[in-house]
Amino acid sequence: MRYLAKVSYDGTNFVGWQIQKTGRTVQAEIEQAFSQIAKNNIPVVAAGRTDSGVHAFGQYFHFDLQNKMTTDQIRLALQTKLDFDIKIISIWKVTDEFHARFKAQKRSYKYFIAKERTPFNRFYKSYFPGISLDFNKIQKCLSYFIGEHDFTSFSKFNPEIKSTICEIQDFNLIETDEDYVFIISANRFLHNMVRRLIGTIINVSRTDVDPEIIIELIEAKTTENKLITTAPAEGLYLFDVEYPKKYFL
């Protein structure tokens, strides 16, 4: 039987989602928990990989398991084997052809920039000293990213990725009393893509460069321009992933 799980985690003490040769990873801890429950190896496949220090409100993964436990019993059993920086939120039964990565139709991230650095937000929000965001300029930058583009300029090279075409569906900036929050949704994202988009937008906002430079940066298909930088990991959260309802049983 195939299942889909929704999980949240604090990425501070992880070197990312995916299993690495060294370092603590979310995938490894979940698979280890499954091995204790099922007494054999149960691989899990995520909607996407989050980097070291990146958090998740709503990461998703699928797995295959043959037993008589209900979805809630599986969730509770898993949770008892996991540390408190990982929480299994929900588990659903899905069809056998479902795939957490390839069947996702929309992924959403939030990126938090604190207006003030405190001892309590340093692992959960990014901070740019002396930052004062030009909302009008940023809105123009965001508009150039909307739609389907080749995002080679804003990604870390990965030989496993065959296509660098992504479609950004929504890209917004909101302001709260404590933070600036970027919210972005797309059909897919490339490695480091969200953080490089944010870093570049911040750089453009703080200079006298015209926002139309974004068009040139996209068309150049190179990361060599100094405006393109990678924003800190601490402020990034995988917020949610959406799937067609037809795969849920």
Side-chain angles (χ1 to χ4, degrees), residues 4-51:
L4 172 67
K6 180 180 181 180
V7 59
S8 64
Y9 48 84
D10 175 348
T12 303
N13 295 318
F14 292 102
V15 296
W17 163 270
Q18 188 180 21
I19 293 175
Q20 306 289 328
K21 292 181 179 179
T22 60
R24 185 172 176 239
T25 69
V26 183
Q27 181 185 8
E29 300 231 343
I30 292 175
E31 291 189 356
Q32 183 178 12
F34 265 125
S35 69
Q36 297 178 56
I37 297 169
K39 306 304 179 185
N40 65 326
N41 294 327
I42 305 293
V44 302
V45 180
R49 305 168 183 174
T50 52
D51 294 332

Side-chain angles (χ1 to χ4, degrees), residues 2 62 64 94-100 102-103 246-249:
R2 179 154 292 185
H62 81 252
D64 295 325
V94 291
T95 60
D96 291 338
E97 66 269 25
F98 177 84
H99 194 285
F102 298 126
K103 299 302 182 182
K246 66 180 181 179
Y247 294 111
F248 291 80
L249 298 178

Side-chain angles (χ1 to χ4, degrees), residues 15-118:
V15 296
W17 163 270
Q18 188 180 21
I19 293 175
Q20 306 289 328
K21 292 181 179 179
T22 60
R24 185 172 176 239
T25 69
V26 183
Q27 181 185 8
E29 300 231 343
I30 292 175
E31 291 189 356
Q32 183 178 12
F34 265 125
S35 69
Q36 297 178 56
I37 297 169
K39 306 304 179 185
N40 65 326
N41 294 327
I42 305 293
V44 302
V45 180
R49 305 168 183 174
T50 52
D51 294 332
S52 178
V54 174
H55 313 290
F57 285 123
Q59 168 72 284
Y60 291 75
F61 64 88
H62 81 252
F63 60 94
D64 295 325
L65 184 66
Q66 303 299 328
N67 65 36
K68 297 181 180 180
M69 298 170 69
T70 66
T71 53
D72 205 46
Q73 287 173 333
I74 298 172
R75 181 185 64 82
L76 292 171
L78 267 180
Q79 195 60 60
T80 61
K81 307 298 182 184
L82 295 167
D83 287 336
F84 290 116
D85 49 4
I86 302 176
K87 181 177 181 179
I88 306 297
I89 299 173
S90 299
I91 295 180
W92 303 268
K93 291 181 179 180
V94 291
T95 60
D96 291 338
E97 66 269 25
F98 177 84
H99 194 285
R101 178 182 174 189
F102 298 126
K103 299 302 182 182
Q105 59 186 8
K106 184 178 182 180
R107 296 167 169 85
S108 299
Y109 281 86
K110 289 188 177 183
Y111 191 88
F112 292 82
I113 301 175
K115 294 180 178 178
E116 180 182 358
R117 171 64 86 206
T118 74

Side-chain angles (χ1 to χ4, degrees), residues 221-233:
K221 299 180 184 179
T222 176
T223 60
E224 293 181 0
N225 193 297
K226 293 182 179 179
L227 284 173
I228 300 175
T229 58
T230 305

